[in-house]
Amino acid sequence: MVTPRKKPPMMSRAYRSHSTVQLPVSLNPDKLPPIPFFQYKTTDFLFNLRECSPEREFGEKSFNEQILKAWNGAKNKNVFNYNLNCMYKLLDGDFDLSVQLNTERGTLRRKPMRFRSIKEPFSHLRWNFTKLLPDEILYKMRCLDKPYSEDVLDTTHIMAVNASPLERGHTLVIPSMNKCLPQVLNSTAIRLATDLMLLNEDENFHMLFNSLLGQASVNHLHLHGIIWPYDSDLINRRFEKLYENVYIIQRPTWFISAIAFQLPSQEHFDNFVNNITKCVQFLTHENIAHNMYFSRAQPIRTDGDLKKEDKERNLPQLVTAYLFPRTSLAGAKPPMNFNPAALELAGCLTAYTLRFFQSVTEQSALRVIEEEAVIDESLFSKLVLELELKFSGRKDWNESVPDLQQPLGESLSTNELEELVDSFQAVTSPSPLVRHHTSLTIEERNRRRSLRDSC
């Protein structure tokens, strides 16, 4: 099914450099216009979305109405790189993949950066969210009855627009922005993501996280908030229990193995956040790239059919987080077909070219994910074993496991890094020679150089 969207006229937006290197900016709040607070209490949480009353009010407006009003206000101030002009279709196959065509995002978004480590330090000289335009910032986040952390100075939790959106209402959540933290999930970020999931009345709302080496394009701690019009079939699958409210799913039940965490009630809130935090910190410590996808899902099943939909829509809809350990990549690539990140690993793809959108099949899409994201099954089995030992208390969470680490195989010289920067600057170039050159592996380049030198 294809849903065309009319493209309204758009004024050219104010110029903003797409360079990945910029001078530092001041974080002095006196130089910024006042930012409104998005305030709530834990009593506003919806643990089971089926129990949401149509008359529910969140302040003067619902959660979605408040966010969309602010998002549209930013749109009217011309802060976006493009107007949304998307189409969707569903692919035939076993996993009910949905595909969005978004050519503008493929050519007009800020070019991705290259990283060498999951724990790469934050750099003020590279683009980061302290350089957001004032009109891009929507809210400061504040929970009135349960602070995000014990640090009383940790108050600058920002919600901003994504200037290269995937959908209407696509936002960025930037925890502790004034601390300039690298793109490594911490308990505050997971807490914020969980809160927003519990506040939102829309079952198609998701929070997303991509680690460095896992398709993150900016090394400044952030998550994405997005509404996607189609369900991920992952919420209908059968899992295996690992620990209380912690589950795993392995191939071929899903096309990439994952760890799932479910929040059944208010009493389990802190454990939900802590369990995710421990697992993410473990993966980060072992240098394993990962993506995370938050969704609403029926209670996770560990028996019965491989796939079972809630067609009667009478089962609880609970906040569920899916953590995907994945192959490490040296950086998000210039998009040619699609880049498998958190949304894509849940089965929701974004196509950057009309040709790919028209020709993609489930088989061809899964081939890309297989090549660029899926880790070896034996490695995932070792990972699950370690997590089982740690959750049960038989191993300490800080204990390292050397054979789990996945060091990046490439070693780049200064010249090669400069060539990579040039290739990203040419991301919108239609030249097939540019695309071919940038797709070469380091080993292939060295081999060709050796052949050239021997001639």
Side-chain angles (χ1 to χ4, degrees):
M1 179 176 68
V2 177
T3 307
R5 295 184 178 228
K6 293 182 179 180
K7 184 174 182 179
M10 179 182 180
M11 298 172 59
S12 59
R13 60 165 289 162
Y15 173 75
R16 176 170 59 183
S17 170
H18 280 227
S19 172
T20 60
V21 179
Q22 296 183 13
L23 293 176
V25 297
S26 172
L27 291 177
N28 186 353
D30 295 333
K31 296 184 179 181
L32 295 175
I35 302 170
F37 275 97
F38 184 88
Q39 301 185 134
Y40 60 92
K41 295 181 179 180
T42 56
T43 52
D44 296 314
F45 289 166
L46 293 166
F47 286 90
N48 175 9
L49 202 55
R50 297 283 186 226
E51 297 176 352
C52 179
S53 168
E55 290 79 29
R56 177 182 186 257
E57 291 186 358
F58 183 76
E60 296 181 357
K61 297 179 181 294
S62 72
F63 176 95
N64 285 335
E65 288 173 336
Q66 292 188 55
I67 300 304
L68 289 175
K69 180 180 178 181
W71 193 90
N72 286 325
K75 182 176 183 291
N76 293 334
K77 295 175 182 177
N78 203 32
V79 303
F80 293 100
N81 292 325
Y82 51 82
N83 270 328
L84 286 166
N85 185 28
C86 302
M87 295 190 296
Y88 290 86
K89 71 176 183 179
L90 299 175
L91 301 184
D92 293 331
D94 297 330
F95 298 105
D96 293 339
L97 303 183
S98 57
V99 186
Q100 177 202 69
L101 175 63
N102 193 336
T103 57
E104 287 88 353
R105 181 172 168 84
T107 57
L108 298 177
R109 68 179 293 199
R110 189 185 313 281
K111 67 178 183 288
M113 303 179 193
R114 188 177 179 95
F115 306 107
R116 294 297 303 158
S117 169
I118 292 175
K119 295 166 280 190
E120 188 164 321
F122 177 90
S123 172
H124 284 285
L125 294 177
R126 305 185 82 177
W127 199 91
N128 61 76
F129 295 116
T130 67
K131 307 176 195 298
L132 287 172
L133 300 176
D135 288 339
E136 293 178 277
I137 299 176
L138 302 181
Y139 293 111
K140 286 184 179 179
M141 306 290 296
R142 177 189 285 168
C143 182
L144 296 174
D145 60 342
K146 188 173 183 177
Y148 300 124
S149 69
E150 297 179 357
D151 184 354
V152 295
L153 299 178
D154 188 15
T155 59
T156 315
H157 311 288
I158 296 297
M159 180 185 294
V161 300
N162 189 322
S164 299
L166 281 168
E167 252 298 347
R168 184 168 171 260
H170 185 176
T171 57
L172 299 171
V173 175
I174 310 162
S176 312
M177 188 175 80
N178 56 319
K179 290 188 173 182
C180 295
L181 300 173
Q183 182 67 348
V184 176
L185 265 183
N186 59 22
S187 59
T188 302
I190 296 166
R191 160 73 196 283
L192 266 168
T194 305
D195 282 12
L196 291 176
M197 288 297 304
L198 289 168
L199 291 170
N200 204 299
E201 310 93 345
D202 194 324
E203 63 184 356
N204 292 320
F205 176 78
H206 308 285
M207 293 296 299
L208 313 171
F209 174 83
N210 302 314
S211 77
L212 300 184
L213 309 190
Q215 297 293 350
S217 59
V218 178
N219 187 19
H220 191 172
L221 180 57
H222 69 285
L223 302 98
H224 295 259
I226 188 171
I227 293 175
W228 191 263
Y230 297 99
D231 283 340
S232 165
D233 195 39
L234 183 55
I235 69 174
N236 302 316
R237 298 282 164 158
R238 185 182 66 206
F239 285 70
E240 302 172 46
K241 186 172 182 178
L242 180 65
Y243 186 66
E244 183 181 3
N245 298 317
V246 182
Y247 307 84
I248 61 169
I249 188 169
Q250 301 186 67
R251 303 175 68 205
T253 307
W254 191 245
F255 53 80
I256 183 169
S257 298
I259 307 157
F261 309 81
Q262 194 159 68
L263 176 54
S265 66
Q266 183 175 359
E267 292 72 25
H268 295 87
F269 182 92
D270 290 336
N271 283 338
F272 178 80
V273 173
N274 290 337
N275 286 341
I276 297 175
T277 302
K278 289 176 182 178
C279 282
V280 168
Q281 289 177 343
F282 171 63
L283 293 180
T284 302
H285 185 263
E286 300 301 332
N287 209 37
I288 298 175
H290 48 277
N291 307 98
M292 177 155 280
Y293 172 82
F294 286 80
S295 184
R296 288 282 184 169
Q298 60 181 291
I300 290 179
R301 298 178 299 107
T302 57
D303 56 18
D305 297 338
L306 189 70
K307 170 183 174 179
K308 186 176 181 180
E309 298 182 40
D310 180 20
K311 294 182 179 180
E312 301 298 325
R313 300 180 64 82
N314 54 14
L315 293 174
Q317 281 189 306
L318 308 176
V319 171
T320 309
Y322 303 91
L323 179 61
F324 305 99
R326 53 150 323 132
T327 300
S328 294
L329 298 174
K333 303 187 306 179
M336 300 304 172
N337 298 323
F338 72 94
N339 289 335
L343 196 59
E344 288 75 14
L345 300 186
C348 310
L349 316 182
T350 297
Y352 296 120
T353 66
L354 177 61
R355 180 178 180 181
F356 179 77
F357 180 76
Q358 292 175 331
S359 64
V360 63
T361 63
E362 181 178 275
Q363 183 179 13
S364 63
L366 295 183
R367 188 180 304 119
V368 174
I369 294 172
E370 173 82 28
E371 294 173 354
E372 300 186 11
V374 175
I375 62 174
D376 187 84
E377 292 181 16
S378 62
L379 176 60
F380 185 78
S381 296
K382 292 179 182 178
L383 179 62
V384 169
L385 178 59
E386 285 298 320
L387 289 175
E388 187 176 17
L389 293 172
K390 292 177 185 298
F391 272 122
S392 66
R394 286 176 285 172
K395 267 195 174 184
D396 188 84
W397 280 98
N398 295 322
E399 186 175 343
S400 182
V401 188
D403 61 341
L404 281 180
Q405 295 192 18
Q406 293 191 100
L408 202 60
E410 298 180 0
S411 178
L412 301 182
S413 67
T414 301
N415 290 338
E416 286 168 334
L417 285 172
E418 291 173 351
E419 290 173 5
L420 185 69
V421 170
D422 292 338
S423 73
F424 280 133
Q425 290 172 346
V427 64
T428 59
S429 170
S431 168
L433 294 178
V434 173
R435 291 198 297 269
H436 178 67
H437 175 73
T438 58
S439 65
L440 295 177
T441 64
I442 300 303
E443 292 78 5
E444 180 65 11
R445 290 185 194 175
N446 291 337
R447 187 184 70 81
R448 294 190 179 191
R449 287 174 182 169
S450 299
L451 290 175
R452 180 191 62 194
D453 294 339
S454 64
C455 293

